[in-house]
């Protein structure tokens, strides 16, 4: 049975580079930008502020560069996220839930 991925904390080292998935209290300071995701956002946002958030996690993953942090607003995101660009040692791409609540962000392809 398929189980949705709840965004809490996980460090993944893949072929494309370094990624960190963390709750707000567990993520360290990064040298890059903060990109925002909110499923209630309008299409066409640039992700550089909460008011201009990306609508999907995929949009943020595509725009992220080493050292960037992606801050994901609470909700259930129905998408398959393909991470094609990686971070670097000491400069991971970090995906963070904007809320400290357990399972505030769920990513599911269902």
């Amino acid at each position: 049975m398929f189980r949705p991925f709840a965004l809490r904390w996980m460090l993944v080292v893949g072929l494309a580079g370094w990624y960190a998935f963390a709750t707000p209290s567990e993520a360290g300071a990064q040298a890059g930008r903060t990109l925002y995701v909110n499923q209630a956002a309008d299409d066409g946002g640039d992700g550089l502020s909460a008011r201009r958030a990306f609508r999907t996690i995929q949009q943020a993953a595509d725009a992220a560069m080493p050292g960037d942090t992606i801050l994901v607003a609470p909700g259930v995101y129905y998408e398959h996220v393909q991470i094609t660009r990686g971070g670097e040692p000491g400069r991971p791409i970090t995906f963070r839930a904007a809320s400290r609540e357990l399972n505030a962000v769920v990513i599911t392809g269902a």
Side-chain angles (χ1 to χ4, degrees), residues 67-87:
D68 286 351
T69 297
I70 299 170
L71 190 61
V72 183
V76 178
Y77 292 81
Y78 296 96
E79 57 183 296
H80 294 277
V81 180
Q82 299 290 320
I83 301 173
T84 58
R85 180 180 298 121

Side-chain angles (χ1 to χ4, degrees), residues 5 9 11 15 24 30 36 38 41 44-45 48 53 65-66 80-81 83-84 86-88 95-96 98:
F5 173 74
W9 185 92
L11 177 64
L15 295 176
Q30 301 300 320
Y36 297 84
N38 189 328
L48 296 175
M65 300 299 289
H80 294 277
V81 180
I83 301 173
T84 58
E88 300 168 352
F95 293 79
R96 288 180 29 193

Side-chain angles (χ1 to χ4, degrees), residues 5-13 18-28 30 92 94-97 99-103 105:
F5 173 74
L7 189 56
R8 282 197 70 197
W9 185 92
M10 177 173 50
L11 177 64
V12 178
V13 181
W18 293 77
Y19 311 97
F21 296 86
T23 59
S25 63
E26 296 164 325
Q30 301 300 320
T94 304
F95 293 79
R96 288 180 29 193
S99 172
R100 293 176 186 246
E101 291 182 38
L102 182 63
N103 297 327
V105 174

